Amino acid sequence: MSNAAAPGVTSRAQPISMDPDAAWQQVLARDPTAEFVYAVSTTGIFCRPACSSRRPLRANTRFFFTADAAMAAGFRPCRVCRPTAPQRNPLCRLREHIERNLERPIRLAELARIVRLSPFTVQRLFTREMGVSPLAYQRALRAGLFRAELKRGSAVTDAIYAAGFGSASGAYGAQQLGMTPAQFARGGKGERIRHCAARSPFGWVIVGATERGLCWLSLASTKAEAEATLQAEFPAARLCRDGSLQRLVKSALDSVQEAGDPGRTADPGELDLRGTAFQLRVWDALRRIPRGETRTYSQLAREMGMPKSTRAVARACATNRVALLVPCHRVVGASGSLTGYRWGLERKRQILDAERV
Ligand SMILES: [Zn+2]
């Protein structure tokens, strides 16, 4: 089988024409997501559609896919919108600026200057893409980071203690998957984590994945809150969106929703679970609890051959980072009560109800 491209032809589809009416509408709207430039024959200058300059007459306007093409046609780049400078997605720049300056409130006017758009456009663009305003996003992140700080204060010693090791070096020696508890407590420094959020019957679901596999799945009420949970857990990681992870969201939801036909459940692929040897054993035991069933913490400890470790088992369940796929929701109190759930007791009830169908 050979479908090699002919010399000089790239395999990527090249745009061959542009709809000038649609492009003109984007120019009029100063659409910051437009990926072309427009040139004005009366001034000899070309701009990005988002440029704050006065709109030209339609009759004097030409459209080009790239700045190079506009220059080849004899136009000069505008000094306001700098169409030859590499452009990054304005939404990414806005989020990055907010995330880098969490210690202080950031006004809309400041964000507007960064992306050279009006405050109104920033507010509209951000809210359209993120589901919340820039200010609400800031607040969610600040709250998330604060909780993470509290959590990290004791996370390392807890993890080592729960693992039953007498010293830090012992715990690190038993580490199976590269990242030590201490490294993890530094929030995934040096890691690149792709993520994707989607609505579900249990609220917003967000998945995070390293190169090795799924490392985070949490549930939240809003998209911003979901993204804040990831940010809070991995504050030092490089986070980037990836819509292709949508399939992981789906397979996670299938794992609790398609009762009676587990064969149809999509393969979630690899999980990148990081923890002490003990935590990994507990999470593995959780994955063996069939859908539609529950265990108590002491039952789970017994099944693991460690009947005296009920409390440590409970603690390991509480530190699960991959909801649904590592089904910590299937562990309940001895009296049948729901006990705790990292992502909300009401959600735990909903998930268990869905699995009982
Ligand atoms: Zn311009």
Side-chain angles (χ1 to χ4, degrees):
M1 189 177 98
S2 168
N3 54 3
V9 177
T10 66
S11 57
R12 239 171 87 198
Q14 296 290 322
I16 48 168
S17 67
M18 194 184 311
D19 175 356
D21 291 327
W24 177 244
Q25 288 309 315
Q26 284 179 285
V27 169
L28 288 182
R30 292 190 164 85
D31 185 342
T33 62
E35 291 178 337
F36 61 90
V37 298
Y38 71 90
V40 184
S41 56
T42 46
T43 60
I45 288 173
F46 69 96
C47 285
R48 298 185 199 279
C51 184
S52 58
S53 61
R54 211 155 56 88
R55 298 297 90 172
L57 289 176
R58 166 98 199 246
N60 300 333
T61 308
R62 288 177 63 190
F63 305 105
F64 297 94
F65 282 115
T66 64
D68 285 346
M71 285 192 288
F75 293 97
R76 298 189 314 278
C78 166
R79 277 189 277 185
V80 176
C81 62
R82 291 190 246 154
T84 51
Q87 186 186 26
R88 290 179 47 238
N89 179 328
L91 183 72
C92 286
R93 274 147 64 206
L94 292 170
R95 294 183 55 195
E96 208 171 273
H97 188 74
I98 293 172
E99 287 159 15
R100 279 193 187 148
N101 294 282
L102 276 185
E103 69 289 349
R104 64 182 176 88
I106 298 170
R107 303 175 66 107
L108 215 46
E110 179 179 341
L111 292 172
R113 274 197 303 279
I114 294 208
V115 288
R116 295 167 176 257
L117 298 169
S118 74
F120 172 77
T121 305
V122 165
Q123 177 86 355
R124 198 188 49 182
L125 171 74
F126 198 94
T127 307
R128 187 185 75 197
E129 295 295 318
M130 301 291 292
V132 292
S133 69
L135 186 67
Y137 183 67
Q138 259 178 80
R139 280 205 214 103
L141 280 187
R142 287 167 69 117
L145 282 182
F146 181 59
R147 282 197 297 274
E149 287 294 328
L150 287 179
K151 199 173 61 198
R152 278 209 304 280
S154 60
V156 178
T157 45
D158 274 2
I160 293 168
Y161 182 74
F165 292 103
S167 71
S169 62
Y172 297 167
Q175 185 62 37
Q176 297 179 18
L177 286 155
M179 192 180 265
T180 65
Q183 275 176 306
F184 205 88
R186 285 198 291 270
K189 196 164 165 51
E191 290 278 343
R192 179 167 171 272
I193 299 176
R194 295 170 298 128
H195 60 93
C196 174
R199 286 183 198 277
S200 86
F202 316 113
W204 279 87
V205 173
I206 185 166
V207 297
T210 65
E211 279 162 13
R212 280 170 291 194
L214 199 72
C215 64
W216 182 252
L217 194 160
S218 68
L219 302 156
S221 304
T222 65
K223 188 177 189 182
E225 192 189 316
E227 294 191 331
T229 65
L230 180 76
Q231 174 84 27
E233 190 73 17
F234 304 102
R238 279 185 301 134
L239 304 179
C240 55
R241 287 200 174 166
D242 184 346
S244 71
L245 297 178
Q246 204 67 249
R247 67 187 169 80
L248 293 178
V249 174
K250 185 179 181 307
S251 64
L253 291 171
D254 286 351
S255 74
V256 298
Q257 284 185 314
E258 294 193 356
D261 193 1
R264 278 187 56 209
T265 299
D267 179 11
E270 293 295 311
L271 295 182
D272 184 8
L273 303 178
R274 320 267 180 104
T276 62
F278 181 81
Q279 283 174 309
L280 293 169
R281 280 188 61 193
V282 173
W283 297 337
D284 192 51
L286 288 172
R287 299 182 70 198
R288 291 173 209 274
I289 306 174
R291 177 170 53 200
E293 292 187 28
T294 56
R295 300 282 187 278
T296 65
Y297 293 110
S298 58
Q299 279 172 340
L300 196 63
R302 269 203 306 279
E303 282 179 12
M304 291 175 64
M306 311 169 83
K308 288 178 181 166
S309 301
T310 301
R311 281 187 61 192
V313 166
R315 186 175 287 180
C317 290
T319 54
N320 176 28
R321 292 186 194 90
V322 181
L324 307 181
L325 290 171
V326 177
C328 58
H329 60 272
R330 291 176 193 157
V331 184
V332 298
S335 60
S337 64
L338 291 178
T339 67
Y341 189 52
R342 189 171 181 179
W343 296 288
L345 218 51
E346 184 49 38
R347 251 180 219 117
K348 181 172 182 174
R349 188 191 316 276
Q350 288 171 357
I351 297 165
L352 286 172
D353 284 346
E355 290 188 321
R356 277 194 203 99
V357 173

